[in-house]
Amino acid sequence: MTSKAPAKYRNGQLMGPLALILGLMIAPSHAAQGIEDTKAVTSTPAASDALSAKQQAIPLIAASMATSDMARLANALNQGLDAGLTISEAKEILVQLYAYVGFPRSLNALGELMKVADDRKRRGIVDAPGRDPSRAIPTGEALLAAGTANQTRISGAPVKGPVFDFAPVINQFLQTHLFGDIFERVNLDWQSRELATVGALAATPGVEAQLRSHMRASMRVGLSAAQLRQLVEVLAAHGDASAAKRANEALTQALAGS
């Protein structure tokens, strides 16, 4: 498959926190994309025709966090934990999403997870704690190299564009922090990370370019079109019609560009 960079930026401005720029910045060569887009980028399970119950909860958690809807977030967290999401995985989802929806929402969501976990303990529910990352995160030049490799694999080709010519440091931050510090943490697989990112972006008006980019990234990490259609259905079924509409449009456009 190939992906196309958007023709222009929305009102000439970057949209959202640091990582939301991703959808506006990808300008790889079509030849490189044709090779890379067919590859799954991690050792996550092969794509199937359906999301697991655990996977279905992830975009709901993310969408609720992005809109600061604490009641829905609590319900989605309970749904995910009931389906086998570990406490570590839930925490990792909420930590990662600070790069897409901001630190305040991440901190508030982590506070809500603490309440949910405490309430479940009081009710006698034993949730699996999960695991911490099993390997050390690289530092210095090794971190930059690892983050650049992760970014390239998820994007389908080396990332470049006028934004980086204008402000090269933004890509350094993306490579060393988002795709380095965060994506090198192996206590959450990349399919789950993309389900979370798509859920959060779908719930956020004005970041359609980034949402399209992450729909394509989701397929690169092994999620199928059928699974992403189910993600749209899950959002709609839980009452977020606007998010479902944005997600459906982004998926349609991503597939049309394949």
Side-chain angles (χ1 to χ4, degrees), residues 14 18 21 25 144 151 159-176:
L14 304 182
L18 117 85
I21 193 174
M25 72 188 184
L144 176 60
Q151 181 194 54
V159 171
K160 61 183 71 174
V163 168
F164 302 113
D165 295 333
F166 180 69
V169 71
I170 195 68
N171 201 27
Q172 180 182 338
F173 290 160
L174 285 166
Q175 290 167 340
T176 57

Side-chain angles (χ1 to χ4, degrees), residues 37-237:
D37 285 4
T38 61
K39 299 179 181 178
V41 299
T42 66
S43 58
T44 48
S48 67
D49 289 333
L51 296 171
S52 68
K54 175 178 164 179
Q55 287 176 315
Q56 290 178 47
I58 293 174
L60 296 176
I61 291 169
S64 301
M65 172 180 165
T67 56
S68 295
D69 189 330
M70 293 297 110
R72 278 192 179 181
L73 177 59
N75 288 336
L77 287 168
N78 274 296
Q79 178 180 331
L81 293 168
D82 287 342
L85 196 71
T86 69
I87 297 295
S88 174
E89 289 169 331
K91 287 192 291 187
E92 191 71 17
I93 289 165
L94 302 179
V95 169
Q96 174 188 312
L97 289 179
Y98 98 81
Y100 298 90
V101 299
F103 267 121
R105 288 186 175 89
S106 181
L107 292 168
N108 291 344
L110 287 166
E112 190 65 27
L113 174 58
M114 290 174 62
K115 294 177 185 177
V116 166
D118 288 343
D119 178 67
R120 290 171 68 87
K121 285 180 182 178
R122 284 193 296 270
R123 291 188 284 130
I125 300 173
V126 179
D127 294 308
R131 60 192 177 95
D132 292 327
S134 58
R135 67 186 185 206
I137 304 302
T139 59
E141 291 300 318
L143 176 63
L144 176 60
T148 301
N150 290 342
Q151 181 194 54
T152 300
R153 294 168 74 186
I154 290 172
S155 302
V159 171
K160 61 183 71 174
V163 168
F164 302 113
D165 295 333
F166 180 69
V169 71
I170 195 68
N171 201 27
Q172 180 182 338
F173 290 160
L174 285 166
Q175 290 167 340
T176 57
H177 183 52
L178 177 61
F179 293 108
D181 288 322
I182 295 176
F183 271 75
E184 280 294 291
R185 291 170 60 85
V186 294
N187 54 334
L188 188 68
D189 65 78
W190 283 11
Q191 288 186 11
S192 297
R193 291 188 185 279
E194 284 303 320
L195 288 170
T197 302
V198 166
L201 295 181
T204 306
V207 294
E208 288 77 10
Q210 291 81 6
L211 180 55
R212 286 193 300 273
S213 174
H214 280 282
M215 282 294 187
R216 292 190 290 264
S218 295
M219 290 184 277
R220 290 190 189 103
V221 302
L223 291 164
S224 68
Q227 287 175 309
L228 294 171
R229 291 190 187 98
Q230 187 180 4
L231 182 154
V232 174
E233 295 168 1
V234 166
L235 290 172

